[in-house]
Amino acid sequence: MAVLLLEVKDLYCERDDKVLFENLSFQLQQGTVLHLGGSNGSGKTSLLRILCGLYHDYEGQIEFFGQKIDDELAYYHSSLLYFGHQVSVKLGLTALENLTWYARIQPQLDASLISKALTEVGLAGYEQVLCQNLSAGQRRRVNLARLYMQKTTDVSHSLWILDEPFTAIDKQGVAALEQHISAFSASGGTVILTTHQQLELNSKIQRLNLDDWGTK
Amino acid sequence: MMRVFWAELSRDLLLAFRHKGDFLNPLIFFLMVAVLFPLGVSPAADFLAQIAPGVLWVSALLATLLSLDNLFKSDFDDGTLEQLLLSPESTYMIALAKACAHWITTGLPLALMAPLLAVMLFLPAQAIVTLVISLLIGTATLSLVGAIASALTVGLKKGGVLISLLVIPLYIPVLIFGASAVQSAVDGLPVTAYLAILGAMFALSLVLAPFAIAASLRVSVSS
Amino acid sequence: MNMQKKQLMPKWFYQMASPKWCYKITGKLLPLFSCTGLALLLLGTVWALLYAPEDYQQGNSFRIIYIHVPSAILAQSIYVTMALAGAVGIIWKMKIADMVAYACAPVGASMAFLALITGAIWGKPTWGSWWVWDARLTSMLILLFLYFGVMALYAAMGKPSRAARATAILSLVGLVNIPIIKYSVEWWNTLHQPATFSLTEKPAMPVQMWLPLLVMVLGFYCFFATAMMLRLRNEILSREKRTNWVKELVTKV
């Protein structure tokens, strides 16, 4: 039985006098992967930030389990993991320190899984290295390790919002990540992501192209 | 709730410890501004003793002001600030932790360094304890109020000058009572009333400022 | 949707939220306030300059009070208006309130500036110097700085909806601070004569002196309302330029 996780109603957003999208409505069931497409500047990142509750200049409604996200923001954020464009790790801290900090501020992450997560993203042995000494791809992997720290207790309530997660990641890394995303959605987790790559997932994929929703 | 406070505070202190320049700069600035006065005005001991309370307080205020620009900037630039705001934990505690870390890395060392400068400016010895106490309480208020302006301007390209414009009017009461406390101590008058008012201002900002900081951060991240 | 859920405020409050309605109603109020304001200012000026008695100490130079005091009162009232409008804008997400706050700032700043200039001009014959570090002049100067801060932040922010929220926070912080600043500055130094107007005590001036002052204060309020509404209507048109009603309005003319 598919349960409705996220519902977006009549979303309208404009930026610099250009309408990014209007009357945008969609529903997302538990266990699905939403692949957000669209050309550069079509508003993918804006939409993701709106869905996270970070960006407020929009009209319309977003409901998480039937409740407006702004009304139950703490609950919503306890179910959400967001990956933005930025590295989101402190260069002055080690991989281990960064992830320990994440586990403390985002309780949906399990601190006991840190070393396992670092192994999964191919950073075993780099725990004590300052992130400023890691390569760009490795820094992103430190951030991506959070996906492997998700507490398994409440996966069906979890939502991952990933903005270009495969940037600067090598081929094997992308394959491993795709596999992890598939496994997550198979156990009931829900994912919204943008990428210009071909997605190779064996999950239920829903597609949305933002080019169809804005003014040309 | 306390967990997120400690998590944020310890992270910021660790980062400050690894980038010592960040908290040494305001201290050196404090020292240099205070040295400018004898050079620019007069090195006469009795004259310096007269202006020392004001000079020390103004220099400490400017040094705090200088450090505000960096308070949220690096977190904003590397994206950890938005991750903080995505935390389901209380943003109030996060804001409080950031201001607290700022005070520990600027206000506290400034207050501890002040006696050295006080001696250089011939501040009478009986006023030194009051100077340190007034700076300890006063700079805590400066950190809390300054964090609001820093949070408001963090997303802007030229935030630095704007911070001064936003924050100096708000700093005036702290300056007045801080400097007056030291002046009273110089004159041998009781100082508890001044310190009590500084304490009241600190308490008020402790309760209200984190709300304003958190709200400002949400506005700044939403760009 | 919001309105159905929480009808906390009277109906006109929600109607105000509609830019179109607000544009219409201010259009009707504008002539009323501008005519009353003009009449009051003319009456007040003539009365103050020709008929009010001379001050027994300061002679005719005291007559600048008829501009100084109203502008000082206005500078403070406008700040409160701006901060409260900003708060309404944040709490009820009301665009019109944001625009009101935006419209207030420069008017308030010019009032504070006027109060400072007239204070300086008045200071020359009274105290013998253009500037005295007197408590109330100093607070007014700080108030002017607060206005500058709000306006500079608005200019730096770019996008109006973000700028509105940021300046609303700043002006609320300023609002909490104004009494503290006033108190601390007053305590710090006082040279000025006691307050001209007080709500609790009977004015120390004779009736012939303060009645024209009252007229001037009311005239200044009407002037503020007029200036604010003009700026507000301008702002409504520029922000709602893509809506049909604005397009119709513009093409009709």
Side-chain angles (χ1 to χ4, degrees), chain B residues 127-162:
Chain B
I128 286 182
V129 176
T130 312
L131 174 71
V132 174
I133 296 176
S134 71
L135 278 174
L136 282 176
I137 310 172
T139 50
T141 315
L142 299 186
S143 286
L144 282 160
V145 175
I148 303 173
S150 183
L152 281 172
T153 53
V154 67
L156 306 174
K157 280 189 195 80
K158 287 176 192 157
V161 187
L162 192 56

Side-chain angles (χ1 to χ4, degrees), chain A residues 82-123:
Chain A
Y82 169 65
F83 285 74
H85 277 296
Q86 291 146 311
V87 283
S88 302
V89 294
K90 275 277 162 218
L91 299 187
L93 298 180
T94 65
L96 184 66
E97 285 161 351
N98 267 305
L99 292 175
T100 313
W101 173 74
Y102 266 119
R104 281 156 137 193
I105 64 156
Q106 298 181 338
Q108 61 270 46
L109 301 176
D110 189 345
S112 65
L113 297 176
I114 291 178
S115 57
K116 189 174 150 268
L118 281 173
T119 315
E120 295 279 358
V121 294
L123 288 177

Side-chain angles (χ1 to χ4, degrees), chain B residues 34 64 119 124 154 156 186 204 223:
Chain B
T64 312
V119 172
V154 67
L156 306 174
V186 172
L204 187 71
S223 56

Side-chain angles (χ1 to χ4, degrees), chain B residues 7-76:
Chain B
E8 193 43 40
L9 182 65
S10 56
R11 182 189 75 142
D12 279 8
L13 292 181
L14 183 61
L15 281 166
F17 178 71
R18 290 201 180 139
H19 289 265
K20 291 185 188 62
D22 283 357
F23 78 98
L24 285 178
N25 285 344
L27 282 178
I28 297 168
F29 182 81
F30 182 44
L31 182 69
M32 284 168 52
V33 171
V35 165
L36 288 181
F37 282 86
L39 294 175
V41 192
S42 155
D46 52 345
F47 174 73
L48 283 177
Q50 216 180 352
I51 61 164
V55 167
L56 287 167
W57 253 96
V58 170
S59 314
L61 188 147
L62 291 178
T64 312
L65 201 60
L66 182 79
S67 62
L68 284 176
D69 195 22
N70 256 337
L71 182 47
F72 296 108
K73 197 95 199 153
S74 76
D75 285 357
F76 181 83

Side-chain angles (χ1 to χ4, degrees), chain A residues 12 14-15 17 55-57 59 61 68 71, chain C residues 1-2 5 93 95 159 161-162 165 241-242:
Chain A
Y12 169 87
E14 59 171 41
R15 193 156 212 181
D17 288 346
Y55 187 71
H56 300 277
D57 283 332
E59 282 156 37
Q61 268 193 64
K68 280 200 247 166
D71 292 348
Chain C
M1 279 310 276
N2 281 333
K5 206 179 78 181
K93 302 220 164 82
K95 275 194 218 161
K159 206 174 165 163
S161 56
R162 254 181 94 213
R165 266 179 295 148
K241 56 180 178 278
R242 266 185 312 283

Side-chain angles (χ1 to χ4, degrees), chain A residues 5-8 11 26 28 47-56 58 61-82 106-108 150 154 157-162 190-192, chain B residues 85-89 218:
Chain A
L5 184 97
L6 195 75
E7 183 169 17
V8 170
L11 219 54
F26 62 87
L28 209 55
L47 177 59
L48 293 187
R49 292 176 66 83
I50 289 173
L51 292 177
C52 288
L54 282 174
Y55 187 71
H56 300 277
Y58 65 92
Q61 268 193 64
I62 303 160
E63 289 178 1
F64 184 69
F65 286 113
Q67 274 177 321
K68 280 200 247 166
I69 57 168
D70 285 329
D71 292 348
E72 295 290 337
L73 202 60
Y75 168 66
Y76 179 56
H77 281 167
S78 69
S79 311
L80 177 75
L81 279 184
Y82 169 65
Q106 298 181 338
Q108 61 270 46
Q150 170 84 48
D154 220 8
H157 280 66
S158 302
L159 173 65
W160 290 354
I161 295 186
L162 315 176
T190 313
V191 183
I192 303 175
Chain B
L85 293 180
L86 288 175
S87 164
E89 307 284 353
R218 290 199 187 283

